[in-house]
Amino acid sequence: MTSTAPSRSRTALVLGGGGITGIAWELGVLSRLLEAGVALDDADLVVGTSAGSVVGTMVRLGRVDEGLREQYEAVTELPTGSIDPEAFQQTLGQALMGATDQQEARARIGALARQTPVTGDEPALLTTMRARFGDVGWPTGAFTVCTVDATDGAFRPLDADSGVDLHRAVAASCSVPVVWPTVEIDGHPTMDGGVRSGTNADLGDEYDRVLVLSCGPELDVSPLGPTLPQVVAARRAAGREVLVIQADAEALAAFGGDVLSTATRRPAAEAGRRQAEALLDDVRMFWTGAAA
């Protein structure tokens, strides 16, 4: 008689966008879960979008605790930026009027993004990410950084095989349209991967269990790309496991009105740790497959 050992379930950790406060919240969540022995850093795939690309890099480099400590310190190295959510959405909504498909819609936002000028020798985000990650190269373990071509709206996930420096990929993924200038990738102006989706969680479709950190609710349907509710519904309909940790009301209050402000990093991180504490058992069971 022959026996076949059951194949190991493959896991994906998806880290969504959410600005500077989103970085802090995600680090708070992850630091507490890792501290409690939930080995999220052993994910077969990590997907990072915008803020999530920064946090995902820290996960893969084993720097989550270091990143958390930084949320409690004075910040001098981050480029300045601010965002008015209502005005931002209004600007994007006007640009999207009449778009016939999702890629065209993203290209329209790209046209707006390309209008933001570079001040100095290079985009400030590129300088920041070079200082932080420029000498480390792509980390071990599958890691995808989500970006969008600001010329034609094409979605471009970047990884170790893309030939793009890690710090440049992360800077591009964080380049919020009309706030920061685009970053050049292979001669193409490139912008925030959140233009397609706040999480791009569909990149985990081939994995058995997907854990998503989402810095806020997403629309059920978007003219720009697949939404988290759509991905979750499709996975569940197909009998595939997914768990979403979404910033709760207390966390959103900690973020304040401007997710690009450095002033609320500490309360956002603390909100993340508190939320993770309340979810420890559920996440541990999910990640180990004990809830299957």
Side-chain angles (χ1 to χ4, degrees):
M1 176 182 292
T2 60
S3 62
T4 302
S7 59
R8 185 181 70 85
S9 295
R10 297 197 307 156
T11 55
L13 174 64
V14 175
L15 305 169
I20 289 173
T21 56
I23 292 174
W25 176 78
E26 290 183 0
L27 287 169
V29 171
L30 292 171
S31 66
R32 182 65 193 103
L33 292 173
L34 290 168
E35 186 180 277
V38 183
L40 300 177
D41 49 355
D42 70 1
D44 293 289
L45 172 69
V46 175
V47 176
T49 297
S50 199
S53 71
V54 176
V55 177
T57 301
M58 293 179 177
V59 170
R60 281 307 198 207
L61 294 176
R63 294 185 181 178
V64 170
D65 286 343
E66 173 188 328
L68 178 69
R69 288 194 298 272
E70 291 172 350
Q71 307 312 305
Y72 292 79
E73 299 170 354
V75 181
T76 58
E77 77 282 6
L78 293 175
T80 57
S82 63
I83 189 167
D84 179 325
E86 185 174 342
F88 182 73
Q89 292 300 327
Q90 185 176 31
T91 298
L92 298 192
Q94 291 173 347
L96 294 176
M97 291 180 62
T100 58
D101 59 40
Q102 293 177 338
Q103 184 167 337
E104 181 192 348
R106 297 192 297 265
R108 289 184 176 212
I109 294 179
L112 288 177
R114 299 198 310 273
Q115 295 175 20
T116 302
V118 175
T119 57
D121 296 332
E122 64 180 8
L125 279 173
L126 184 56
T127 303
T128 297
M129 298 309 171
R130 178 183 289 109
R132 182 149 189 79
F133 303 126
D135 60 347
V136 299
W138 285 84
T140 301
F143 177 40
T144 300
V145 172
C146 299
T147 71
V148 170
D149 189 312
T151 301
D152 64 6
F155 179 51
R156 187 172 182 190
L158 301 172
D159 58 22
D161 296 326
S162 65
V164 178
D165 289 336
L166 173 65
H167 71 274
R168 183 173 290 273
V170 173
S173 186
C174 291
S175 295
V176 180
V178 309
V179 176
W180 286 312
T182 59
V183 172
E184 187 173 293
I185 301 287
D186 294 336
H188 295 259
T190 305
M191 61 183 172
D192 192 338
V195 170
R196 177 180 182 262
S197 164
T199 55
N200 293 295
D202 58 307
L203 294 187
D205 275 352
E206 296 181 2
Y207 291 77
D208 301 297
R209 291 197 302 279
V210 176
L211 175 64
V212 183
L213 266 61
S214 172
C215 296
E218 290 187 31
L219 297 174
D220 290 336
V221 178
S222 167
L224 297 167
T227 68
L228 181 56
Q230 289 173 327
V231 173
V232 168
R235 286 191 66 86
R236 289 177 175 162
R240 292 175 295 171
E241 295 179 84
V242 59
L243 178 65
V244 177
I245 301 177
Q246 180 177 291
D248 61 15
E250 187 174 334
L252 293 175
F255 292 176
D258 182 359
V259 297
L260 298 182
S261 171
T262 61
T264 54
R265 294 163 83 216
R266 177 170 183 160
E270 290 175 343
R273 285 185 62 82
R274 173 202 53 76
Q275 196 168 349
E277 182 69 34
L279 296 171
L280 273 178
D281 291 341
D282 290 341
V283 178
R284 180 181 289 109
M285 292 179 65
F286 174 81
W287 197 248
T288 60

